[in-house]
Amino acid sequence: ETGVTQTPRHLVMGMTNKKSLKCEQHLGHNAMYWYKQSAKKPLELMFVYNFKEQTENNSVPSRFSPECPNSSHLFLHLHTLQPEDSALYLCASSQDRRRWDGYTFGSGTRLTVV
Amino acid sequence: AQKVTQAQTEISVVEKEDVTLDCVYETRDTTYYLFWYKQPPSGELVFLIRRNSFDEQNEISGRYSWNFQKSTSSFNFTITASQVVDSAVYFCAPKTGTASKLTFGTGTRLQVTL
């Protein structure tokens, strides 16, 4: 069983819908990340949170809104998405942001925007 | 900035064959870490190995082995006697700097058939 749990596993939403992706870890990690994985493209880092504070936003459109209420939970709120936003959204966590820390990934949410 | 190139987009082998996945990275840092992850069809990225830039010893773990050549900035991964369960996408990812993040390439899709 993975240490990082993402829900839902699959999500289909219309362009006018509002939905949220949830990520939860009970590994005692302090840093959490959202990645986007589109077909035939490298994984794109979207957001980084360290001790609940957002430390990085890689020019992500405002229709994606992250929230980190505590070190164990990370959300990605979605609204008025476009079909090109369809992708696998992966959450990850790490103990810290030190260079030797690897990440633990969740299984992802497969998002389809129709 | 760091960059990683996995030139092999897809590799197809027959079970029991050996296969090597190439990874070439770029970084200006002298201290860095290199990671390999496996992404099976289920979606989550599974950590395989971490190597720091000062340790050039090759590593073997069961059927897996890694060849780190700092002089050529390569960190290649070999699977000996491949099995169908090895079918996945494999990512090499460097990590440098004090507030570092994993940088992924496009990965190599390995298909092992009977």
Side-chain angles (χ1 to χ4, degrees):
Chain A
E1 181 184 316
T2 179
V4 177
T5 303
Q6 289 187 244
T7 54
R9 290 297 307 275
H10 300 273
L11 178 62
V12 180
M13 61 185 287
M15 289 189 283
T16 57
N17 291 161
K18 285 186 181 181
K19 296 285 183 184
S20 295
L21 309 186
K22 180 182 176 182
C23 176
E24 187 173 352
Q25 57 90 10
H26 295 290
L27 300 168
H29 289 172
N30 298 305
M32 296 187 79
Y33 312 82
W34 278 116
Y35 277 87
K36 175 184 178 183
Q37 186 177 30
S38 307
K40 308 221 187 281
K41 291 175 72 174
L43 277 87
E44 302 171 60
L45 180 62
M46 300 173 72
F47 302 103
V48 180
Y49 277 82
N50 198 35
F51 291 93
K52 302 188 299 179
E53 298 298 318
Q54 187 181 118
T55 56
E56 197 158 334
N57 175 342
N58 284 313
S59 305
V60 180
S62 59
R63 57 186 184 271
F64 295 91
S65 174
E67 179 191 0
C68 188
N70 54 63
S71 291
S72 299
H73 294 86
L74 185 65
F75 295 89
L76 189 62
H77 304 299
L78 317 170
H79 64 98
T80 58
L81 294 191
Q82 306 297 312
E84 61 264 28
D85 297 322
S86 298
L88 180 68
Y89 288 85
L90 289 159
C91 173
S93 69
S94 67
Q95 179 63 46
D96 207 315
R97 294 208 66 203
R98 297 162 302 186
R99 78 190 87 190
W100 55 85
D101 277 341
Y103 296 177
T104 302
F105 284 84
S107 298
T109 294
R110 174 74 60 189
L111 173 67
T112 304
V113 181
V114 297
Chain B
Q2 58 216 24
K3 183 183 168 184
V4 60
T5 301
Q6 293 181 258
Q8 304 145 308
T9 307
E10 292 190 38
I11 301 176
S12 185
V13 299
V14 176
E15 203 176 39
K16 296 197 177 82
E17 284 185 10
D18 299 346
V19 58
T20 295
L21 310 182
D22 298 333
C23 170
V24 174
Y25 59 92
E26 292 177 32
T27 178
R28 275 176 275 189
D29 285 10
T30 54
T31 303
Y32 51 88
Y33 285 76
L34 299 165
F35 295 78
W36 274 93
Y37 280 84
K38 171 183 179 180
Q39 186 179 35
S42 53
E44 81 277 16
L45 276 82
V46 178
F47 167 81
L48 294 178
I49 190 172
R50 173 185 63 200
R51 175 51 54 88
N52 76 58
S53 53
F54 294 106
D55 182 2
E56 291 197 63
Q57 274 198 325
N58 290 332
E59 181 151 346
I60 298 174
S61 175
R63 295 184 297 107
Y64 296 170
S65 62
W66 289 268
N67 184 350
F68 177 34
Q69 298 283 338
K70 199 168 180 178
S71 58
T72 55
S73 298
S74 67
F75 187 39
N76 297 337
F77 172 34
T78 297
I79 302 175
T80 303
S82 59
Q83 299 176 2
V84 172
V85 293
D86 296 327
S87 298
V89 181
Y90 290 85
F91 293 93
C92 172
K95 198 161 181 266
T96 68
T98 53
S100 57
K101 56 197 176 194
L102 280 172
T103 300
F104 292 91
T106 50
T108 297
R109 180 177 298 278
L110 174 64
Q111 184 71 39
V112 182
T113 56
L114 293 171

mmCIF file of all heavy atoms in Angstrom, chain B residues 70-108:
data_model
loop_
_atom_site.group_PDB
_atom_site.id
_atom_site.type_symbol
_atom_site.label_atom_id
_atom_site.label_comp_id
_atom_site.label_asym_id
_atom_site.label_seq_id
_atom_site.Cartn_x
_atom_site.Cartn_y
_atom_site.Cartn_z
ATOM 1 N N LYS B 70 30.504 9.440 -13.952
ATOM 2 C CA LYS B 70 30.468 10.889 -13.769
ATOM 3 C C LYS B 70 31.139 11.604 -14.937
ATOM 4 O O LYS B 70 30.721 12.689 -15.333
ATOM 5 C CB LYS B 70 31.157 11.256 -12.459
ATOM 6 C CG LYS B 70 30.809 12.619 -11.929
ATOM 7 C CD LYS B 70 31.305 12.774 -10.518
ATOM 8 C CE LYS B 70 30.949 14.149 -9.976
ATOM 9 N NZ LYS B 70 31.394 14.309 -8.570
ATOM 10 N N SER B 71 32.178 10.991 -15.497
ATOM 11 C CA SER B 71 32.928 11.641 -16.580
ATOM 12 C C SER B 71 32.064 11.875 -17.812
ATOM 13 O O SER B 71 32.298 12.819 -18.575
ATOM 14 C CB SER B 71 34.153 10.801 -16.950
ATOM 15 O OG SER B 71 33.743 9.506 -17.342
ATOM 16 N N THR B 72 31.086 11.014 -18.005
ATOM 17 C CA THR B 72 30.206 11.154 -19.173
ATOM 18 C C THR B 72 28.796 11.574 -18.770
ATOM 19 O O THR B 72 27.887 11.609 -19.596
ATOM 20 C CB THR B 72 30.118 9.841 -19.959
ATOM 21 O OG1 THR B 72 29.694 8.802 -19.070
ATOM 22 C CG2 THR B 72 31.457 9.477 -20.564
ATOM 23 N N SER B 73 28.621 11.900 -17.492
ATOM 24 C CA SER B 73 27.302 12.320 -16.971
ATOM 25 C C SER B 73 26.220 11.321 -17.335
ATOM 26 O O SER B 73 25.138 11.683 -17.833
ATOM 27 C CB SER B 73 26.932 13.712 -17.512
ATOM 28 O OG SER B 73 27.844 14.680 -17.085
ATOM 29 N N SER B 74 26.518 10.075 -17.093
ATOM 30 C CA SER B 74 25.524 9.057 -17.400
ATOM 31 C C SER B 74 25.242 8.184 -16.177
ATOM 32 O O SER B 74 26.119 7.971 -15.335
ATOM 33 C CB SER B 74 25.978 8.185 -18.574
ATOM 34 O OG SER B 74 27.106 7.416 -18.206
ATOM 35 N N PHE B 75 24.020 7.717 -16.109
ATOM 36 C CA PHE B 75 23.595 6.867 -14.992
ATOM 37 C C PHE B 75 22.650 5.832 -15.579
ATOM 38 O O PHE B 75 21.431 5.941 -15.485
ATOM 39 C CB PHE B 75 22.929 7.718 -13.923
ATOM 40 C CG PHE B 75 22.605 6.993 -12.649
ATOM 41 C CD1 PHE B 75 23.470 6.047 -12.104
ATOM 42 C CD2 PHE B 75 21.427 7.268 -11.970
ATOM 43 C CE1 PHE B 75 23.168 5.383 -10.927
ATOM 44 C CE2 PHE B 75 21.119 6.611 -10.779
ATOM 45 C CZ PHE B 75 21.986 5.677 -10.262
ATOM 46 N N ASN B 76 23.226 4.801 -16.168
ATOM 47 C CA ASN B 76 22.445 3.813 -16.906
ATOM 48 C C ASN B 76 21.960 2.689 -16.010
ATOM 49 O O ASN B 76 22.605 2.333 -15.020
ATOM 50 C CB ASN B 76 23.268 3.236 -18.058
ATOM 51 C CG ASN B 76 23.639 4.300 -19.077
ATOM 52 O OD1 ASN B 76 22.971 5.320 -19.180
ATOM 53 N ND2 ASN B 76 24.701 4.061 -19.814
ATOM 54 N N PHE B 77 20.849 2.118 -16.392
ATOM 55 C CA PHE B 77 20.145 1.120 -15.595
ATOM 56 C C PHE B 77 19.994 -0.151 -16.421
ATOM 57 O O PHE B 77 19.491 -0.102 -17.539
ATOM 58 C CB PHE B 77 18.783 1.709 -15.213
ATOM 59 C CG PHE B 77 17.819 0.787 -14.543
ATOM 60 C CD1 PHE B 77 18.243 -0.224 -13.682
ATOM 61 C CD2 PHE B 77 16.445 0.935 -14.730
ATOM 62 C CE1 PHE B 77 17.338 -1.059 -13.041
ATOM 63 C CE2 PHE B 77 15.533 0.106 -14.082
ATOM 64 C CZ PHE B 77 15.980 -0.884 -13.248
ATOM 65 N N THR B 78 20.449 -1.275 -15.874
ATOM 66 C CA THR B 78 20.355 -2.553 -16.581
ATOM 67 C C THR B 78 19.478 -3.524 -15.813
ATOM 68 O O THR B 78 19.625 -3.681 -14.601
ATOM 69 C CB THR B 78 21.758 -3.169 -16.792
ATOM 70 O OG1 THR B 78 22.531 -2.298 -17.620
ATOM 71 C CG2 THR B 78 21.660 -4.537 -17.457
ATOM 72 N N ILE B 79 18.576 -4.151 -16.531
ATOM 73 C CA ILE B 79 17.763 -5.231 -15.972
ATOM 74 C C ILE B 79 18.254 -6.525 -16.604
ATOM 75 O O ILE B 79 18.269 -6.661 -17.838
ATOM 76 C CB ILE B 79 16.268 -5.033 -16.270
ATOM 77 C CG1 ILE B 79 15.788 -3.694 -15.704
ATOM 78 C CG2 ILE B 79 15.449 -6.189 -15.692
ATOM 79 C CD1 ILE B 79 14.337 -3.368 -16.060
ATOM 80 N N THR B 80 18.663 -7.442 -15.772
ATOM 81 C CA THR B 80 19.159 -8.740 -16.241
ATOM 82 C C THR B 80 18.008 -9.734 -16.230
ATOM 83 O O THR B 80 17.187 -9.731 -15.304
ATOM 84 C CB THR B 80 20.288 -9.228 -15.321
ATOM 85 O OG1 THR B 80 21.321 -8.233 -15.296
ATOM 86 C CG2 THR B 80 20.866 -10.540 -15.812
ATOM 87 N N ALA B 81 17.944 -10.558 -17.249
ATOM 88 C CA ALA B 81 16.895 -11.589 -17.330
ATOM 89 C C ALA B 81 15.515 -10.954 -17.099
ATOM 90 O O ALA B 81 14.809 -11.269 -16.138
ATOM 91 C CB ALA B 81 17.155 -12.708 -16.328
ATOM 92 N N SER B 82 15.153 -10.076 -17.990
ATOM 93 C CA SER B 82 13.921 -9.300 -17.828
ATOM 94 C C SER B 82 12.697 -10.224 -17.701
ATOM 95 O O SER B 82 12.686 -11.363 -18.191
ATOM 96 C CB SER B 82 13.746 -8.357 -19.012
ATOM 97 O OG SER B 82 13.694 -9.080 -20.221
ATOM 98 N N GLN B 83 11.695 -9.685 -17.016
ATOM 99 C CA GLN B 83 10.445 -10.407 -16.808
ATOM 100 C C GLN B 83 9.287 -9.504 -17.247
ATOM 101 O O GLN B 83 9.424 -8.269 -17.292
ATOM 102 C CB GLN B 83 10.286 -10.774 -15.331
ATOM 103 C CG GLN B 83 11.389 -11.664 -14.799
ATOM 104 C CD GLN B 83 11.258 -11.935 -13.305
ATOM 105 O OE1 GLN B 83 10.313 -11.476 -12.652
ATOM 106 N NE2 GLN B 83 12.206 -12.682 -12.762
ATOM 107 N N VAL B 84 8.160 -10.124 -17.511
ATOM 108 C CA VAL B 84 6.983 -9.367 -17.945
ATOM 109 C C VAL B 84 6.624 -8.278 -16.930
ATOM 110 O O VAL B 84 6.200 -7.181 -17.287
ATOM 111 C CB VAL B 84 5.792 -10.314 -18.210
ATOM 112 C CG1 VAL B 84 4.521 -9.521 -18.472
ATOM 113 C CG2 VAL B 84 6.101 -11.249 -19.375
ATOM 114 N N VAL B 85 6.827 -8.583 -15.654
ATOM 115 C CA VAL B 85 6.473 -7.605 -14.604
ATOM 116 C C VAL B 85 7.371 -6.366 -14.630
ATOM 117 O O VAL B 85 7.091 -5.381 -13.954
ATOM 118 C CB VAL B 85 6.534 -8.225 -13.192
ATOM 119 C CG1 VAL B 85 5.454 -9.268 -13.039
ATOM 120 C CG2 VAL B 85 7.916 -8.782 -12.892
ATOM 121 N N ASP B 86 8.448 -6.433 -15.399
ATOM 122 C CA ASP B 86 9.313 -5.262 -15.527
ATOM 123 C C ASP B 86 8.740 -4.240 -16.503
ATOM 124 O O ASP B 86 9.267 -3.135 -16.628
ATOM 125 C CB ASP B 86 10.711 -5.677 -16.000
ATOM 126 C CG ASP B 86 11.441 -6.552 -15.005
ATOM 127 O OD1 ASP B 86 11.237 -6.356 -13.784
ATOM 128 O OD2 ASP B 86 12.205 -7.441 -15.434
ATOM 129 N N SER B 87 7.700 -4.612 -17.214
ATOM 130 C CA SER B 87 7.091 -3.688 -18.175
ATOM 131 C C SER B 87 6.567 -2.458 -17.448
ATOM 132 O O SER B 87 5.740 -2.545 -16.541
ATOM 133 C CB SER B 87 5.938 -4.379 -18.923
ATOM 134 O OG SER B 87 6.417 -5.477 -19.667
ATOM 135 N N ALA B 88 7.070 -1.303 -17.837
ATOM 136 C CA ALA B 88 6.727 -0.052 -17.165
ATOM 137 C C ALA B 88 7.432 1.082 -17.889
ATOM 138 O O ALA B 88 8.198 0.864 -18.834
ATOM 139 C CB ALA B 88 7.180 -0.085 -15.702
ATOM 140 N N VAL B 89 7.183 2.285 -17.411
ATOM 141 C CA VAL B 89 7.959 3.436 -17.867
ATOM 142 C C VAL B 89 8.982 3.737 -16.776
ATOM 143 O O VAL B 89 8.636 3.781 -15.587
ATOM 144 C CB VAL B 89 7.077 4.668 -18.118
ATOM 145 C CG1 VAL B 89 7.931 5.839 -18.620
ATOM 146 C CG2 VAL B 89 5.977 4.342 -19.122
ATOM 147 N N TYR B 90 10.219 3.934 -17.171
ATOM 148 C CA TYR B 90 11.292 4.170 -16.218
ATOM 149 C C TYR B 90 11.822 5.597 -16.394
ATOM 150 O O TYR B 90 12.092 6.052 -17.503
ATOM 151 C CB TYR B 90 12.425 3.160 -16.434
ATOM 152 C CG TYR B 90 12.030 1.765 -16.030
ATOM 153 C CD1 TYR B 90 11.360 0.928 -16.921
ATOM 154 C CD2 TYR B 90 12.304 1.289 -14.750
ATOM 155 C CE1 TYR B 90 10.974 -0.344 -16.545
ATOM 156 C CE2 TYR B 90 11.927 0.010 -14.369
ATOM 157 C CZ TYR B 90 11.264 -0.800 -15.268
ATOM 158 O OH TYR B 90 10.877 -2.057 -14.885
ATOM 159 N N PHE B 91 11.965 6.268 -15.258
ATOM 160 C CA PHE B 91 12.427 7.653 -15.260
ATOM 161 C C PHE B 91 13.726 7.783 -14.485
ATOM 162 O O PHE B 91 13.865 7.260 -13.379
ATOM 163 C CB PHE B 91 11.385 8.574 -14.599
ATOM 164 C CG PHE B 91 10.097 8.695 -15.356
ATOM 165 C CD1 PHE B 91 9.039 7.859 -15.066
ATOM 166 C CD2 PHE B 91 9.945 9.655 -16.339
ATOM 167 C CE1 PHE B 91 7.831 7.970 -15.754
ATOM 168 C CE2 PHE B 91 8.752 9.782 -17.031
ATOM 169 C CZ PHE B 91 7.691 8.932 -16.742
ATOM 170 N N CYS B 92 14.638 8.517 -15.086
ATOM 171 C CA CYS B 92 15.859 8.929 -14.418
ATOM 172 C C CYS B 92 15.645 10.394 -14.027
ATOM 173 O O CYS B 92 15.075 11.168 -14.806
ATOM 174 C CB CYS B 92 17.024 8.791 -15.398
ATOM 175 S SG CYS B 92 18.591 9.461 -14.851
ATOM 176 N N ALA B 93 16.087 10.771 -12.834
ATOM 177 C CA ALA B 93 15.801 12.149 -12.382
ATOM 178 C C ALA B 93 16.951 12.662 -11.522
ATOM 179 O O ALA B 93 17.238 12.089 -10.478
ATOM 180 C CB ALA B 93 14.491 12.185 -11.590
ATOM 181 N N PRO B 94 17.599 13.754 -11.940
ATOM 182 C CA PRO B 94 18.620 14.377 -11.101
ATOM 183 C C PRO B 94 17.987 15.328 -10.099
ATOM 184 O O PRO B 94 16.875 15.826 -10.305
ATOM 185 C CB PRO B 94 19.479 15.141 -12.120
ATOM 186 C CG PRO B 94 18.544 15.461 -13.237
ATOM 187 C CD PRO B 94 17.522 14.360 -13.276
ATOM 188 N N LYS B 95 18.738 15.572 -9.044
ATOM 189 C CA LYS B 95 18.263 16.499 -8.003
ATOM 190 C C LYS B 95 19.483 17.236 -7.465
ATOM 191 O O LYS B 95 20.418 16.617 -6.983
ATOM 192 C CB LYS B 95 17.573 15.705 -6.898
ATOM 193 C CG LYS B 95 16.664 16.488 -5.976
ATOM 194 C CD LYS B 95 15.727 15.525 -5.278
ATOM 195 C CE LYS B 95 14.766 16.231 -4.355
ATOM 196 N NZ LYS B 95 15.231 16.290 -2.980
ATOM 197 N N THR B 96 19.476 18.540 -7.579
ATOM 198 C CA THR B 96 20.628 19.336 -7.155
ATOM 199 C C THR B 96 20.158 20.531 -6.359
ATOM 200 O O THR B 96 18.972 20.834 -6.290
ATOM 201 C CB THR B 96 21.428 19.852 -8.380
ATOM 202 O OG1 THR B 96 20.617 20.810 -9.078
ATOM 203 C CG2 THR B 96 21.795 18.734 -9.315
ATOM 204 N N GLY B 97 21.111 21.209 -5.768
ATOM 205 C CA GLY B 97 20.776 22.459 -5.097
ATOM 206 C C GLY B 97 20.216 22.246 -3.706
ATOM 207 O O GLY B 97 19.830 21.157 -3.313
ATOM 208 N N THR B 98 20.151 23.308 -2.963
ATOM 209 C CA THR B 98 19.708 23.203 -1.575
ATOM 210 C C THR B 98 18.198 23.135 -1.457
ATOM 211 O O THR B 98 17.668 22.484 -0.579
ATOM 212 C CB THR B 98 20.219 24.410 -0.771
ATOM 213 O OG1 THR B 98 19.829 25.598 -1.456
ATOM 214 C CG2 THR B 98 21.728 24.375 -0.626
ATOM 215 N N ALA B 99 17.489 23.800 -2.339
ATOM 216 C CA ALA B 99 16.023 23.714 -2.340
ATOM 217 C C ALA B 99 15.645 22.998 -3.617
ATOM 218 O O ALA B 99 15.044 23.565 -4.512
ATOM 219 C CB ALA B 99 15.408 25.105 -2.278
ATOM 220 N N SER B 100 16.022 21.759 -3.661
ATOM 221 C CA SER B 100 16.016 21.064 -4.942
ATOM 222 C C SER B 100 14.692 20.372 -5.232
ATOM 223 O O SER B 100 13.856 20.175 -4.356
ATOM 224 C CB SER B 100 17.134 20.047 -4.962
ATOM 225 O OG SER B 100 16.977 19.167 -3.869
ATOM 226 N N LYS B 101 14.523 20.029 -6.464
ATOM 227 C CA LYS B 101 13.344 19.295 -6.878
ATOM 228 C C LYS B 101 13.768 18.279 -7.925
ATOM 229 O O LYS B 101 14.749 18.456 -8.642
ATOM 230 C CB LYS B 101 12.307 20.245 -7.471
ATOM 231 C CG LYS B 101 12.833 21.062 -8.633
ATOM 232 C CD LYS B 101 11.970 22.244 -8.930
ATOM 233 C CE LYS B 101 12.603 23.084 -10.034
ATOM 234 N NZ LYS B 101 11.997 24.406 -10.161
ATOM 235 N N LEU B 102 13.001 17.207 -8.003
ATOM 236 C CA LEU B 102 13.278 16.178 -8.997
ATOM 237 C C LEU B 102 12.902 16.700 -10.377
ATOM 238 O O LEU B 102 11.808 17.223 -10.567
ATOM 239 C CB LEU B 102 12.477 14.920 -8.686
ATOM 240 C CG LEU B 102 13.035 13.995 -7.601
ATOM 241 C CD1 LEU B 102 12.015 12.915 -7.287
ATOM 242 C CD2 LEU B 102 14.344 13.397 -8.015
ATOM 243 N N THR B 103 13.817 16.539 -11.314
ATOM 244 C CA THR B 103 13.562 16.923 -12.702
ATOM 245 C C THR B 103 13.471 15.652 -13.519
ATOM 246 O O THR B 103 14.412 14.870 -13.562
ATOM 247 C CB THR B 103 14.697 17.805 -13.247
ATOM 248 O OG1 THR B 103 14.778 18.985 -12.453
ATOM 249 C CG2 THR B 103 14.427 18.189 -14.694
ATOM 250 N N PHE B 104 12.342 15.461 -14.164
ATOM 251 C CA PHE B 104 12.122 14.238 -14.927
ATOM 252 C C PHE B 104 12.234 14.500 -16.418
ATOM 253 O O PHE B 104 11.895 15.580 -16.906
ATOM 254 C CB PHE B 104 10.720 13.677 -14.647
ATOM 255 C CG PHE B 104 10.540 13.150 -13.252
ATOM 256 C CD1 PHE B 104 10.077 13.975 -12.244
ATOM 257 C CD2 PHE B 104 10.838 11.832 -12.959
ATOM 258 C CE1 PHE B 104 9.906 13.497 -10.959
ATOM 259 C CE2 PHE B 104 10.666 11.339 -11.674
ATOM 260 C CZ PHE B 104 10.207 12.174 -10.676
ATOM 261 N N GLY B 105 12.721 13.462 -17.123
ATOM 262 C CA GLY B 105 12.669 13.507 -18.567
ATOM 263 C C GLY B 105 11.388 12.857 -19.034
ATOM 264 O O GLY B 105 10.445 12.689 -18.260
ATOM 265 N N THR B 106 11.377 12.450 -20.275
ATOM 266 C CA THR B 106 10.173 11.834 -20.837
ATOM 267 C C THR B 106 10.090 10.348 -20.524
ATOM 268 O O THR B 106 9.080 9.721 -20.779
ATOM 269 C CB THR B 106 10.130 12.020 -22.364
ATOM 270 O OG1 THR B 106 11.388 11.622 -22.915
ATOM 271 C CG2 THR B 106 9.864 13.472 -22.723
ATOM 272 N N GLY B 107 11.147 9.780 -19.955
ATOM 273 C CA GLY B 107 11.102 8.380 -19.561
ATOM 274 C C GLY B 107 11.326 7.426 -20.719
ATOM 275 O O GLY B 107 11.302 7.802 -21.894
ATOM 276 N N THR B 108 11.569 6.171 -20.371
ATOM 277 C CA THR B 108 11.695 5.093 -21.361
ATOM 278 C C THR B 108 10.643 4.040 -21.056
ATOM 279 O O THR B 108 10.583 3.532 -19.936
ATOM 280 C CB THR B 108 13.092 4.437 -21.296
ATOM 281 O OG1 THR B 108 14.077 5.403 -21.630
ATOM 282 C CG2 THR B 108 13.171 3.255 -22.260
#
